[in-house]
Amino acid sequence: MPGIAVPREANERLSNAPLRRKPTINDVAGIAGVSFGTVSRVLNDAPDVSAATRQRVLQVIKDIGYRRNRAATALVTSRSTSIGILSDGSPRFGPVGTLMALENIARKKGYATTVVSVEQPYEESVQAALDALDDTGVGGIIVIAPVVDMAAAVWNASCRVPVEMIAAGASSTPNVFTYSENQELGARLATQHLIDLGHTDIAHFAGSMDWFDGRVRKRGWEAALRDAGLTPGLCLEGDWSPRWAYETALQLVREQKVPQSIFAASDHTALGLIRAFAENGIRVPDDVSVVGFDDIEGSDFFLPPLTTVRQDFTALALMSTEVLIGAMEGREVDRTPIAPALIVRNSTASATSRSTA
């Protein structure tokens, strides 16, 4: 081990007597030639350990493959090393992307995660799930709550550990604090992009109003139009699916009510309506401009490549985890919502360039 002063006898023990069982903290101490307490201080990043000793202990940990026992660590430090995640089990892009990012970020920060899904009726399943997570010894719980009814059940529930809810535009309560991406801002960016291109007839293919996401994206669309002195026009509420958007767009084609431009509440919604238009000779963006929301994988390969609003799930998970850990440790953390970004591609064009054919 170049550059690390490991005692010769420790080197001999390391090379001549390889461990055939799961290494323990005592093995690390013996091989590194330090006390149990010194290894513990290194593991807990205590400041009262010299740089050389810290480096030597960490090298031994790496060489013998020692992994700390989370339960034992929690007992010694009185700090839980696990986080609970409560989800409604939705297969939609946003909740799934958030869940995957949370698990990844928590693991990188040294926290184990326990995931529990709930279903209707939420009044019963949410309290039972929170109790189950609490019983496992988690230090805090992050709730992914896209649906308003689920959030209401979380607000009404009780829990002994900090509870954070990811719910766009929702307010915090004394028992539950919230965090989210600023999706209303994202909707404003999408709508303002169409306004800047000269469009005045801007329809909204909305998501479900049972979802916080659907509500705040609609609110952002309305606010951007009103700020520009325009009256919000056609708004159609759907279920986020390409099928609904496809069938709804076909109806508009039949009634000859296709708007000048559309802000779709999700990329999947945009996909459905673009297909309906293409099948009927209505070109995007020549005849109608379309903006989506989410920037799902493959949206840059739509025909045409989709202008959309990108959600940064990694940044959302990172900040959500930081906020929860801060609550677990009794310290304040900045809760400014994550700002989304507008990604301009080829599905939008200037209103003056529209085909007159």
Side-chain angles (χ1 to χ4, degrees):
M1 294 177 283
I4 301 177
V6 177
R8 184 178 65 183
E9 62 273 17
N11 266 323
E12 291 174 351
R13 286 196 297 271
L14 182 59
S15 59
N16 298 331
L19 295 169
R20 298 180 181 276
R21 53 177 171 74
K22 186 176 181 179
T24 67
I25 192 171
N26 287 320
D27 295 322
V28 176
I31 295 171
V34 298
S35 68
F36 176 99
T38 297
V39 178
S40 179
R41 289 196 295 275
V42 170
L43 290 172
N44 291 304
D45 202 26
D48 56 341
V49 180
S50 70
T53 298
R54 184 182 305 277
Q55 186 179 13
R56 183 165 77 247
V57 170
L58 291 175
Q59 185 65 54
V60 171
I61 289 172
K62 178 181 178 181
D63 288 341
I64 70 173
Y66 169 73
R67 295 179 62 184
R68 65 196 307 180
N69 184 306
R70 294 183 184 275
T73 300
L75 287 173
V76 172
T77 64
S78 297
R79 292 171 54 190
S80 174
T81 56
S82 64
I83 292 173
I85 302 176
L86 184 61
S87 167
D88 74 336
S90 170
R92 297 295 182 192
F93 177 74
V96 170
T98 302
L99 173 59
M100 294 176 64
L102 280 172
E103 289 184 298
N104 184 47
I105 291 297
R107 183 171 61 255
K108 289 181 178 179
K109 286 184 169 294
Y111 285 82
T113 55
T114 301
V115 180
V116 176
S117 295
V118 295
E119 57 186 15
Q120 291 277 22
Y122 292 126
E123 292 78 8
E124 300 174 7
S125 63
V126 165
Q127 185 64 68
L130 290 174
D131 290 342
L133 287 171
D134 192 4
D135 288 344
T136 67
V138 299
I141 299 171
I142 297 179
V143 180
I144 304 171
V147 182
V148 177
D149 286 350
M150 178 182 173
V154 175
W155 281 319
N156 291 329
S158 60
C159 192
R160 293 178 297 180
V161 298
V163 177
E164 173 187 10
M165 186 162 63
I166 298 178
S171 301
S172 297
T173 68
N175 298 323
V176 180
F177 54 94
T178 60
Y179 190 78
S180 69
E181 188 170 53
N182 193 338
Q183 295 191 34
E184 182 174 342
L185 172 62
R188 279 178 168 268
L189 292 173
T191 309
Q192 188 62 50
H193 172 64
L194 294 170
I195 294 171
D196 292 343
L197 289 173
H199 296 288
T200 55
D201 177 18
I202 304 173
H204 182 36
F205 273 48
S208 169
M209 293 301 110
D210 291 336
W211 285 50
F212 287 107
D213 298 8
R215 294 183 178 193
V216 296
R217 294 177 195 184
K218 179 184 178 184
R219 191 160 65 223
W221 165 75
E222 291 174 331
L225 289 172
R226 291 199 175 100
D227 287 351
L230 300 173
T231 301
L234 180 66
C235 180
L236 302 168
E237 179 183 348
D239 62 1
W240 308 101
S241 71
R243 176 182 292 278
W244 168 82
Y246 173 77
E247 293 173 349
T248 303
L250 287 180
Q251 183 66 27
L252 293 180
V253 172
R254 286 192 293 268
E255 296 174 356
Q256 297 185 349
K257 294 181 179 179
V258 176
Q260 187 184 48
S261 60
I262 298 172
F263 164 44
S266 74
D267 291 351
H268 284 122
T269 301
L271 178 63
L273 64 89
I274 289 174
R275 176 182 168 181
F277 292 155
E279 291 179 351
N280 287 274
I282 298 173
R283 298 167 299 172
V284 176
D286 304 77
D287 303 317
V288 56
S289 288
V290 177
V291 182
F293 200 111
D294 286 332
D295 194 29
I296 62 173
E297 182 179 2
S299 60
D300 50 339
F301 283 91
F302 283 18
L303 189 62
L306 185 65
T307 295
T308 186
V309 176
R310 174 177 296 164
Q311 296 195 79
D312 190 339
F313 291 117
T314 299
L316 174 63
L318 177 61
M319 286 305 303
S320 298
T321 305
E322 289 284 0
V323 168
L324 182 68
I325 294 173
M328 291 162 58
E329 297 176 350
R331 56 183 173 83
E332 283 295 321
V333 177
D334 182 14
R335 297 183 187 176
T336 303
I338 295 292
L342 178 70
I343 308 299
V344 179
R345 297 194 180 107
N346 304 114
S347 64
T348 52
S350 170
T352 59
S353 68
R354 289 186 64 186
S355 171
T356 59

